[in-house]
Amino acid sequence: MSAEKKGQEAEMSTGSISVSDTLKSARSGVRSGIKTSVKHTNELLASLEISATKANSNFVSRMSSLGRQFRYVASRGARMYDVREQYGVPIVAGSATVFGGATALSRGKGPGAVVGLMAGSAAYAAVYGMPNNFGSKGFGGDEK
């Protein structure tokens, strides 16, 4: 070491503690602070992961039970739709009566009859379907 450096080091040292010892203790304090903050951060992340896992498992179990209920209702609806033609007359008459009656009460007999006719026609089309040749031939047109 040069004489100047030794002189500077001697000036910087105070008593028995030198600057390098002070830097070492500061570094070790910073390192221990970093280690402590990393430890606390990891603990926090672990607790957040546990709570998120619990929330996800609750959500998944709730959704799976709702999915089972939906599948059950959908299968019952599909079975009801398959046998809809057995109940065609009550469905058509009920639709015409309900919609036509409600309209007749609020608007009068004429609009009620028109709405009832439209509702009955729509219900008939929904229950029995439309014929394949509907509208292909004109009224009174020539048939081939």
Side-chain angles (χ1 to χ4, degrees), residues 81-102:
Y81 183 76
D82 288 340
V83 296
R84 71 191 184 280
E85 291 181 1
Q86 295 175 1
Y87 305 102
V89 174
I91 291 172
V92 172
S95 298
T97 303
V98 168
F99 286 103

